[in-house]
Amino acid sequence: MTQLNIMDDDFLQGEISSLTDMQEISMSLVTIFSGLLSILGSSAIIYRVLKGSGRTPKSYDRIMLGLSICDILTSITYAVTPLLLPQATSQRVWARGSETSCLFLGFLTQLSLTAVTYNCLLSFYYLATIKFSMTASDFASNLEPYFHILTVFFFLFTATGGVVFDIFAELELGQGCWIAEYPKGCEARGDCTGNYFAWIWGGLPVLVTFVSLPVNNLRIYCYIKEALRTHSNSQSKLQAAQT
């Protein structure tokens, strides 16, 4: 019976990890190099906002600054992911970490979701200033502070909670540590609640962003199209009156 269990475990491991070592290394290198390139691009935006403009940053500049900082955090998370996976249990070829480093990686992964939310904030900035003609000063005083505070607080709070309650673990699919089997051993007992945390902590913000981006852009497009049509009609009437 013991020999059968060992054979079953080996079979399952082979099914879970179907990549060769060279494929694993290639996937890790792509993750690391793409993360480094993203860091360079975001750093250039941060430099432009802080030093290149020569003026006091406005709402758009601050949103881009927050987005770029969060993007750097996300890129760092991608770059260090292959190395921070727990070596004792992970099948990834470059795994050199421990359970503690996996918790830290889960913290970074959850915190890096702020970049997604900042994209949502940027779309609402465009919607407010273009469609609703809100001035930059009104947006900065009435809306912007709440967006920054809620975004940073939510993801910092949930990332910290994931570490405190030991919610983060290595993912079965893909490379990374985030919300997986929680509580530990729940799959055998059938009382897993990790999916609820994943949907609330990550799925809901991402879903709101993915819905808001096309909807806000469509509303801006329709507004501009209607404004151009109205302007064109006004010009035609003016020319007709002059003749």
Side-chain angles (χ1 to χ4, degrees), residues 114-131:
T114 50
V116 177
T117 309
Y118 265 101
N119 277 283
C120 183
L121 170 57
L122 186 61
S123 74
F124 276 103
Y125 168 80
Y126 287 133
L127 181 68
T129 55
I130 296 175
K131 185 181 188 306

Side-chain angles (χ1 to χ4, degrees), residues 1-235:
M1 180 66 69
T2 302
Q3 183 178 4
L4 179 60
N5 288 337
I6 293 175
M7 292 176 63
D8 288 344
D9 290 342
D10 291 341
F11 173 77
L12 289 175
Q13 289 178 0
E15 287 296 313
I16 293 173
S17 180
S18 60
L19 299 179
T20 65
D21 286 351
M22 184 57 64
Q23 290 173 330
E24 289 274 358
I25 292 174
S26 300
M27 183 171 63
S28 299
L29 288 175
V30 168
T31 301
I32 292 172
F33 286 128
S34 62
L36 293 176
L37 290 175
S38 181
I39 290 174
L40 291 176
S42 298
S43 299
I45 295 175
I46 293 175
Y47 176 81
R48 181 181 181 278
V49 171
L50 296 180
K51 297 293 183 67
S53 61
R55 57 179 175 80
T56 303
K58 296 183 179 180
S59 292
Y60 174 79
D61 300 316
R62 289 188 291 270
I63 294 172
M64 291 303 299
L65 178 64
L67 176 59
S68 300
I69 292 174
C70 295
D71 183 69
I72 289 178
L73 175 63
T74 304
S75 301
I76 292 175
T77 302
Y78 287 154
V80 301
T81 289
L83 303 176
L84 295 184
L85 298 176
Q87 185 177 11
T89 57
S90 178
Q91 300 178 50
R92 303 301 179 183
V93 66
W94 277 3
R96 296 295 183 270
S98 61
E99 293 297 328
T100 301
S101 68
C102 189
L103 277 176
F104 177 65
L105 181 59
F107 175 87
L108 291 179
T109 302
Q110 177 63 23
L111 196 59
S112 65
L113 289 176
T114 50
V116 177
T117 309
Y118 265 101
N119 277 283
C120 183
L121 170 57
L122 186 61
S123 74
F124 276 103
Y125 168 80
Y126 287 133
L127 181 68
T129 55
I130 296 175
K131 185 181 188 306
F132 296 105
S133 302
M134 181 178 289
T135 63
S137 59
D138 288 340
F139 183 88
S141 59
N142 296 326
L143 296 178
E144 183 188 351
Y146 302 103
F147 278 116
H148 290 297
I149 293 173
L150 289 175
T151 297
V152 175
F153 175 79
F154 175 80
F155 288 106
L156 183 60
F157 177 79
T158 52
T160 304
V163 173
V164 171
F165 295 102
D166 198 20
I167 295 177
F168 300 134
E170 184 178 4
L171 300 174
E172 293 184 1
L173 297 177
Q175 290 192 100
C177 292
W178 194 53
I179 303 171
E181 184 184 12
Y182 181 79
K184 303 296 183 182
C186 66
E187 291 185 355
R189 301 188 303 268
D191 60 347
C192 294
T193 58
N195 288 338
Y196 299 107
F197 286 99
W199 272 108
I200 296 173
W201 290 10
L204 186 59
V206 171
L207 180 62
V208 170
T209 298
F210 283 1
V211 171
S212 298
L213 289 178
V215 169
N216 289 346
N217 288 336
L218 181 61
R219 295 179 69 184
I220 293 172
Y221 167 78
C222 293
Y223 170 77
I224 294 177
K225 183 178 180 180
E226 180 63 23
L228 291 176
R229 187 184 66 82
T230 302
H231 177 73
S232 178
N233 291 339
S234 299
Q235 290 293 106

